[in-house]
Each structure stands twice: as C-alpha cells, then as structure tokens.
Amino acid sequence: AQTLLPMRYIDIADSSESGTAPHQLEISPDGKYWYVCFIDGYYIKRYRTSDDGFDAKIYVGKANWNTIAITPDSKFLFAVDLGGKVVKCDLTLLKVVESTNLADAPHGSCVSPDGKHIYITATAGNYIYKISVDSLSQPLDYYNYVTFDNQGVSPSTNYNPHQTVFSPDGTKYYVSCSANGNAGNDPSVKVFDTKTDTLIASVHMNSGAYEMEFSKTKNLLFVSSDDGPIYQRYQGRVAVINMIDNSWVMDISTGSQPHDLAVDDAAGLVYVANRNFSNTTPPHHSSVCGGANGNVVFIDLNTLQLTGKRIEVSRDPYTVNIRF
C-alpha cells in the first residue's frame, strides 16, 4: 500500500477448476475476509484478510456468478448469476439458505446500509429489483421494482443497468447504465432517493457507465467505462460526478478499457484497473495467461490527474478492492 507495487499473486482456483474466471472480489464489512465469485464456477470462496490464506468455500452450483453483496453485519452473502439465479448464503453455516430466479439478466448487487434490502440490476430491463433480504424466495410478497421511466416493468435495451451503490450517508443510491454501447440509448448514472425510490437525477455519460465508487472526503463519484469512442487515444474513460448537485464534472483518460476502480480517501488516490484487451497499451512482457497484460493506474484525488505511475499486471484485471 505504501509503495504501490505488487506484493504477490494468490492462486484461487485449483486444477479441477480449469476454465473458471474470478469475476468479483468483495471484502466483508467486518474486515475479516475477502470473498470471490467465479464465471463458470461452482463455489464462492473465502480468504482471510490477516494472511490471505484460504478459509472456506460455499457450493452454489455451476453458473456465471457475476457479483456478490454482503450484509452490513457480515452474516449473509448474496450471489447473482447473469442467467437469472440468485442465492443467499449463510456465512456462519457456509451454505445456501435461500434462492430464487429473476428475469432480464440480473447483474449488479448491493445491500442497503440498513441491511433490509438487496438491490439487483436487470441488465436487459428498464428497472432494478428491490428485495427483502429475509424473503428472497417469496417474490409475490416481497419484491419491488424501481423503474427508469414511466413505461412499467419491461425488457429493454435502452438502459442496461450494470451496478448500484449507496451514497455514504445512505440517502441516495446510484445506478450505472451502460446502454450497451448502442447509439440513441441512455448511457447515464441514475440517482434515486432511498426513502421513496423516486428518480431525482439522471447524469448523462459520454460512454457506457459500468463500475462506481465514491470519495467521502471529496463528495465525488467515480464511474468507469470500458467502451465507447476513442477518448484521448484510449477506448474508455473514468467520469467524475459531483454528488452534491448530481452534475458531471469531467472525464479522465486512464488507459485502455478501464473497468473497476477503488477509492482510498486516506491515501488520496483512486485505483483504476485497465483491462487493455485491445492491446492499445503494449505490455512489457507476456503472461502465462496469454493475450495482452492489463495495468493499474492511480488518480490523485486532489488534482483529479493521473499520478504517472502505471503497474503492469496479468491479463484482463477486472475487479479491484481495498483492504484497510
């Protein structure tokens, strides 16, 4: 954390799991563990933050597990499969205790700060799901739908909602819409009031909006995009949104196909993982994974400029998180 240099690689798939790909890494709110879900995988895996050692795994069945969300008390984890399956895992019993199936390609997931609801984006719809964390398998009584327009709940390619996050004070939540890169659609960040689930702002993006992280000290939301037109030499950019008035501030060209990012207010940095699958940034060397290596770059929170430091990592760095 002090040198911003790589320390180690951690193997998280054994020989029987060839073909699986880690898709998201989340640290539990209590800071004790980090969890990983896998595309084409069977398990959610848990590692200790104290020594990065393997601790346990939960069998969830083979699926394309895209995202995971952990309750604020660190007792339950939700995992979402793009094919429609959603499971609730008891992190004490280390097993699935509830499951359901959702329509319209669910993807992003986030548990509300009060721990009462899980919000899940429907990437092929005009809405997101709002579900009671205690009643995942009872949709008729406990599901709500939050829509982006006045057309009712329906399949749609206008928005392609990707991720949702809550503001630091919990009064608002944000939904990134990638619009699937299609002209005439709505690449944007939608802002909702938490109490009423009403849309209070829509911030237009210059390309599809994907991952989001906020700075508590600067009241800024950083939004990544790995698609869209070439911007300052690279495909993709990181947008900055003012969380006070919900306005677009600027775009930052961070490298080729930036996807996930993490904000470190204490260090005054934003970490950005550039996938570089187009090989626009020629790597220094090849990895055992083949293809072009990706890289991690750093945005200075005070100047909103790149620091100039770029760390080459293996192929397609997709998710990044901070262990405090």
Side-chain angles (χ1 to χ4, degrees):
Q2 294 175 340
T3 65
L4 299 180
L5 292 173
M7 293 172 62
R8 64 176 66 96
Y9 289 101
I10 303 167
D11 290 328
I12 57 175
D14 58 38
S15 59
S16 67
E17 297 173 303
S18 176
T20 65
H23 195 265
Q24 188 179 32
L25 181 155
E26 285 293 321
I27 298 173
S28 58
D30 62 13
K32 293 181 179 179
Y33 302 104
W34 49 274
Y35 295 82
V36 183
C37 64
F38 296 81
I39 297 293
D40 203 26
Y42 291 85
Y43 298 97
I44 304 296
K45 291 190 174 181
R46 182 167 80 184
Y47 294 80
R48 296 180 297 271
T49 55
S50 59
D51 62 358
D52 293 318
F54 173 75
D55 186 80
K57 62 183 179 181
I58 304 170
Y59 179 79
V60 288
K62 186 177 182 179
N64 289 321
W65 300 106
N66 284 268
T67 64
I68 49 182
I70 305 170
T71 54
D73 59 10
S74 300
K75 292 182 178 180
F76 297 95
L77 176 149
F78 292 86
V80 181
D81 158 39
L82 192 63
K85 187 176 182 180
V86 181
V87 297
K88 177 183 179 181
C89 304
D90 187 311
L91 298 180
T92 302
L93 301 176
L94 296 174
K95 69 176 185 179
V96 173
V97 291
E98 258 193 308
S99 65
T100 192
N101 283 282
L102 303 180
D104 296 325
H107 181 270
S109 56
C110 183
V111 177
S112 58
D114 61 10
K116 293 183 178 180
H117 295 92
I118 179 169
Y119 292 71
I120 301 174
T121 60
T123 61
N126 67 336
Y127 64 95
I128 62 173
Y129 293 93
K130 178 183 178 181
I131 307 171
S132 168
V133 298
D134 296 322
S135 305
L136 183 64
S137 58
Q138 299 177 3
L140 294 180
D141 296 324
Y142 296 96
Y143 279 29
N144 288 315
Y145 303 90
V146 181
T147 62
F148 305 132
D149 49 37
N150 297 317
Q151 305 304 312
V153 174
S154 65
S156 173
T157 57
N158 291 337
Y159 307 100
N160 301 104
H162 186 82
Q163 188 199 16
T164 179
V165 295
F166 280 83
S167 62
D169 62 6
T171 61
K172 297 181 289 188
Y173 60 91
Y174 302 79
V175 181
S176 59
C177 296
S178 71
N180 207 27
N182 294 325
N185 288 350
D186 186 13
S188 59
V189 172
K190 307 295 184 185
V191 189
F192 291 87
D193 179 87
T194 300
K195 287 185 177 180
T196 63
D197 293 315
T198 54
L199 181 67
I200 57 177
S202 180
V203 187
H204 179 75
M205 298 287 103
N206 292 312
S207 58
Y210 288 89
E211 304 301 315
M212 300 178 288
E213 286 292 339
F214 52 77
S215 166
K216 294 180 182 179
T217 61
K218 302 296 184 181
N219 285 313
L220 296 174
L221 182 72
F222 294 85
V223 187
S224 72
S225 175
D226 60 19
D227 63 16
I230 299 298
Y231 176 64
Q232 294 185 6
R233 180 185 165 195
Y234 299 110
Q235 183 180 36
R237 65 195 78 191
V238 171
V240 184
I241 293 175
N242 185 321
M243 296 175 67
I244 297 176
D245 61 10
N246 299 314
S247 63
W248 174 87
V249 177
M250 62 186 298
D251 284 337
I252 304 172
S253 180
T254 64
S256 185
Q257 289 97 30
H259 188 71
D260 203 11
L261 35 77
V263 176
D264 188 343
D265 278 313
L269 295 171
V270 183
Y271 310 119
V272 182
N274 293 318
R275 301 178 65 188
N276 194 34
F277 53 76
S278 66
N279 198 17
T280 305
T281 304
H284 180 269
H285 61 279
S286 299
S287 77
V288 295
C289 300
N293 286 345
N295 55 77
V296 178
V297 298
F298 308 89
I299 300 171
D300 186 308
L301 269 176
N302 293 311
T303 65
L304 298 182
Q305 301 292 319
L306 292 180
T307 65
K309 193 178 189 70
R310 185 176 71 195
I311 304 300
E312 186 170 320
V313 293
S314 191
R315 180 183 176 185
D316 200 1
Y318 195 82
T319 186
V320 59
N321 214 315
I322 299 174
R323 186 182 70 192
F324 291 102

